[in-house]
Amino acid sequence: VQLQASGGGLVQTGGSLRLSCAASGSISTINTMYWYRQAAGKQRELVARITSAGSTNYADSVKGRFTISRDNVKKSVYLQMNSLKPEDTGRYYCNADIRATTGFVGSYWGQGTQVTVSS
């Protein structure tokens, strides 16, 4: 099982980016999917999560600006980021709770994608 994230880049304050993350491999079911971020010198923090039923939660710092969504057919999760601020700069990681076809249930991480917001 692998997660592949994409969509990061350099954007000016107030701009938008859309991150994507696709899961692949011997997957039976994907439960909750997450986006985390880690700024330089700081701990990784949860940005947003979405359950298999579509329920969402957001960090207070991104509420009203970021939207998490998923496509269960494509085994993908997305993060639409609007009104970006310099403090949103960091490496963004997708994460998912996945049951493999072997029956094993684990938490899988993507490789991360860099988001840089210039002031």
Side-chain angles (χ1 to χ4, degrees):
V1 175
Q2 292 184 329
L3 295 179
Q4 180 71 40
S6 61
L10 174 64
V11 65
Q12 293 185 332
T13 296
S16 298
L17 284 173
R18 185 174 187 252
L19 306 183
S20 300
C21 176
S24 61
S26 301
I27 296 170
S28 177
T29 56
I30 303 177
N31 296 315
T32 303
M33 305 182 83
Y34 311 79
W35 283 102
Y36 287 80
R37 68 185 179 190
Q38 187 167 20
K42 295 187 176 181
Q43 289 189 332
R44 191 172 298 187
E45 63 173 350
L46 176 64
V47 175
R49 61 183 175 188
I50 183 167
T51 69
S52 57
S55 295
T56 60
N57 295 96
Y58 297 91
D60 287 342
S61 59
V62 307
K63 282 181 181 177
R65 301 187 298 122
F66 291 11
T67 302
I68 189 171
S69 62
R70 63 189 285 169
D71 184 326
N72 292 328
V73 173
K74 294 182 177 180
K75 299 184 177 65
S76 294
V77 63
Y78 309 97
L79 187 68
Q80 177 66 43
M81 305 185 294
N82 299 328
S83 302
L84 283 161
K85 305 175 181 179
E87 51 263 44
D88 294 318
T89 294
R91 193 159 186 86
Y92 283 67
Y93 298 87
C94 55
N95 172 259
D97 300 326
I98 296 175
R99 178 183 294 275
T101 54
T102 60
F104 175 77
V105 179
S107 178
Y108 294 86
W109 290 89
Q111 84 286 8
T113 184
Q114 180 67 33
V115 172
T116 303
V117 184
S118 63
S119 57

